[in-house]
Amino acid sequence: MKINGKTKVCAIIGYPVDHSLSPVMHNAAFKDLGLNIVYVAFPVKTDMLKDAILGAKSFGLLGLNVTMPHKHSVIQYLDETESTTKSMGAVNTILNERGKLFGYNTDGKGAMIALQENHVDPEKKKMLLLGAGGAAKAIAFQAVQEKTELVILNRTQEKAKQLAKLLNKTFGTKVKGRSLLAEDLKEELETTDILVNATSVGMSPDVNASPVPAELIHSDLCVMDIVYNPLETKLLEDAKTAGATIVSGLEMLLYQGAVAFEIWTNCPAPVDVMKKAALSKLAEQGVRP
Ligand SMILES: NC(=O)c1ccc[n+]([C@@H]2O[C@H](COP(=O)([O-])OP(=O)(O)OC[C@H]3O[C@@H](n4cnc5c(N)ncnc54)[C@H](OP(=O)(O)O)[C@@H]3O)[C@@H](O)[C@H]2O)c1
């Protein structure tokens, strides 16, 4: 593409951001569709967040992705935030529309689309969500809006209970929060359709770890692991061996990016192009399929 006076800019802000896959994914997509937009990464430390957002506004940036540690604190600097995103308290995508900044969270939608693209419809299915951190919260908020029956298990049980309470208060649901101990896991898994690992267990370099003992995984399950380094985690390997359907974390990453792309451009995202770009960047970082 030729950068000229009309080139628009999107960016990711966070700290650190140098390993982010978003720049390669989005630049490949803009190029594929012939859009005059570039995507860059800005490392922004906590004490510079307000200035960065004011800067994005004054430079007329088209859109931003927001990553750790700013997903929560950025909300106070936005003009408007989707109401459920506000209740969740985490923004990962910002649209600058005529000088006003609108906040969204595409992580949960990305996870649900990843399931649907693998022919798994989460509606009225029982989902067992492992983890109660930032990513788990985004998935939980989207899952209940898609009428999924949700149970949350977390190492720190109190956090699972707090998240369940927030969901039940926001949506009038009956989500349960329990511990990640083997007996709770075993009992819940027997009646589960979709198992989602949203803990960091199994992430490189701890690649031989899994949050679920292999013998508890049954062939009727769909298992999604949102960890994408390695691309096939120990949990996914065990699920494959058990004959379960598997969905990798790369798919969630891809579709959260695709939803953000569509918010900024109003164009359907070229997901195959974005996936190829993400895989080649991961290969550069030593992560292979
Ligand atoms: N595919 C994607 O698009 C995508 C998007 C976002 C994040 N991710 C990945 O998702 C993972 C979680 O990210 P996050 O932002 O949610 O992190 P986070 O907010 O720090 O939450 C971490 C979660 O993992 C749990 N955990 C950590 N170590 C554990 C252990 N040894 N045993 C059991 N549970 C453990 C924590 O439990 P406690 O509450 O007990 O500490 C917490 O529930 C990371 O690997 C991240 O790379 C993927």
Side-chain angles (χ1 to χ4, degrees), residues 88-247:
M88 186 200 316
V91 156
N92 80 334
T93 300
I94 298 171
L95 170 69
N96 182 356
E97 199 169 48
R98 289 185 284 275
K100 285 206 160 182
L101 301 184
F102 294 87
Y104 304 85
N105 195 312
T106 67
D107 279 335
K109 285 194 184 100
M112 294 303 126
I113 298 172
L115 289 171
Q116 285 151 1
E117 288 292 319
N118 283 278
H119 314 291
V120 178
D121 180 1
E123 190 177 336
K124 300 207 173 82
K125 300 275 170 34
K126 174 173 168 184
M127 179 186 286
L128 192 60
L129 179 64
L130 312 183
K137 199 174 189 184
I139 295 170
F141 263 71
Q142 192 62 32
V144 295
Q145 289 178 81
E146 302 204 7
K147 303 197 171 27
T148 307
E149 184 198 332
L150 185 67
V151 177
I152 301 163
L153 304 188
N154 194 46
R155 175 178 63 177
T156 311
Q157 186 177 0
E158 195 43 40
K159 276 176 68 184
K161 286 188 181 295
Q162 273 170 15
L163 177 53
K165 201 171 159 190
L166 175 64
L167 290 160
N168 295 337
K169 192 173 150 217
T170 310
F171 299 103
T173 45
K174 289 184 177 155
V175 176
K176 280 190 289 180
R178 303 184 68 178
S179 83
L180 198 46
L181 294 175
E183 54 270 30
D184 285 358
L185 196 52
K186 185 170 186 293
E187 191 185 313
E188 293 293 350
L189 264 174
E190 278 166 11
T191 51
T192 291
D193 303 297
I194 303 167
L195 170 68
V196 178
N197 175 37
T199 74
S200 45
V201 178
M203 191 167 80
S204 177
D206 214 1
V207 296
N208 293 320
S210 167
V212 182
E215 61 277 13
L216 297 185
I217 303 172
H218 53 83
S219 61
D220 295 339
L221 275 176
C222 166
V223 180
M224 177 158 84
D225 197 334
I226 76 160
V227 170
Y228 56 86
N229 179 8
L231 284 166
E232 193 164 301
T233 58
K234 168 84 166 59
L235 172 64
L236 291 186
E237 265 175 39
D238 291 344
K240 211 173 172 182
T241 306
T245 303
I246 62 168
V247 182

